Amino acid sequence: DIQVTQSPSSLSASVGDRVTITCRASQGISNYLAWYQQKPGKVPKLLIYGASTLESGVPSRFSGSGSGTDFTLTITSLQSEDFATYYCQKYNTALPTFGQGTKVEIK
Amino acid sequence: EVQLVQSGAEVKKPGESLKISCKGSGYTFSDYWVGWVRQRPGKGLEWMGIIYPGDSDTVYSPSLQGQVTISVDKSTTTVYLQWSSLKASDTAMYYCARPVDGPWGQGTLVTVSS
């Protein structure tokens, strides 16, 4: 099975900071990679699919890049509402797999 | 509106059985995979398994194979997640979802405690 490793597991940042989260697949998955945001007690929200396509309604400060095995989620200027946990998910097979999650906390 | 609506919260004892549901509406139910995602308290998201209502093709996570059963009733556009003997470690929020673009159900909290 292809494994997905997300890093870091947590980070502390300030409003206005640039934040980068990475996701690595153990084998190539083309661009079958999505990013989700989850706030406490809420349903996960899709941010990016196809590694770099922004979901409708998601602010442009979110961006995704990568292909094959290495992927990145970037938040260019962190806002207060962005403090949450972020998950990558590969979906190159019928059953997707999530990364371990990255909790973005206030510094 | 495309939506998935889940059954309500459950409190069960270890060893009891349980079946929770997820009803799809607003789209051609048979044409889209629907899966179940587990989130234990304070932990991450984990796909448990997924089913294609059109032909009931089902794929389970290797770590959960045999622990749960996923089924579908096309006549009521409902997907089910079932346990025959619950354990305390099954305590979690369970979401149904269409992979990638969603939607997600609102979640069903299952608490297993003696």
Side-chain angles (χ1 to χ4, degrees), chain A residues 1 34 36 38 41-46 48-50 55 87 89-91 94-101, chain B residues 33 36-37 39 43-50 59-62 95 98-102 104-107:
Chain A
D1 290 352
Y36 293 82
Q38 188 182 32
K42 300 296 186 182
V43 176
K45 174 186 174 184
L46 177 67
I48 288 168
Y49 60 94
E55 172 72 343
Y87 296 91
Q89 177 195 267
K90 75 164 187 72
Y91 57 97
L95 187 66
T97 303
F98 286 108
Q100 296 83 354
Chain B
W33 292 85
W36 289 95
V37 175
Q39 187 166 39
K43 302 298 184 183
L45 303 168
E46 177 186 13
W47 281 97
M48 302 174 69
I50 196 165
V59 180
Y60 292 96
S61 166
Y95 297 101
R98 276 178 21 180
V100 190
D101 61 344
W104 288 57
Q106 80 276 22

Side-chain angles (χ1 to χ4, degrees), chain A residues 41-100:
Chain A
K42 300 296 186 182
V43 176
K45 174 186 174 184
L46 177 67
L47 299 175
I48 288 168
Y49 60 94
S52 61
T53 302
L54 202 64
E55 172 72 343
S56 176
V58 174
S60 59
R61 62 181 179 272
F62 291 92
S63 65
S65 64
S67 183
T69 60
D70 294 303
F71 302 88
T72 299
L73 172 70
T74 300
I75 311 171
T76 52
S77 179
L78 197 67
Q79 300 301 300
S80 57
E81 61 266 32
D82 301 336
F83 291 95
T85 301
Y86 294 84
Y87 296 91
C88 63
Q89 177 195 267
K90 75 164 187 72
Y91 57 97
N92 64 313
T93 57
L95 187 66
T97 303
F98 286 108
Q100 296 83 354

Side-chain angles (χ1 to χ4, degrees), chain A residues 3-46:
Chain A
Q3 305 304 312
V4 175
T5 303
Q6 188 175 339
S7 61
S9 57
S10 65
L11 64 90
S12 296
S14 300
V15 172
D17 283 354
R18 179 186 180 93
V19 168
T20 299
I21 299 168
T22 64
C23 189
R24 174 166 288 174
S26 58
Q27 298 177 42
I29 57 170
S30 185
N31 66 338
Y32 293 103
L33 196 285
W35 291 96
Y36 293 82
Q37 176 194 67
Q38 188 182 32
K39 297 182 178 179
K42 300 296 186 182
V43 176
K45 174 186 174 184
L46 177 67

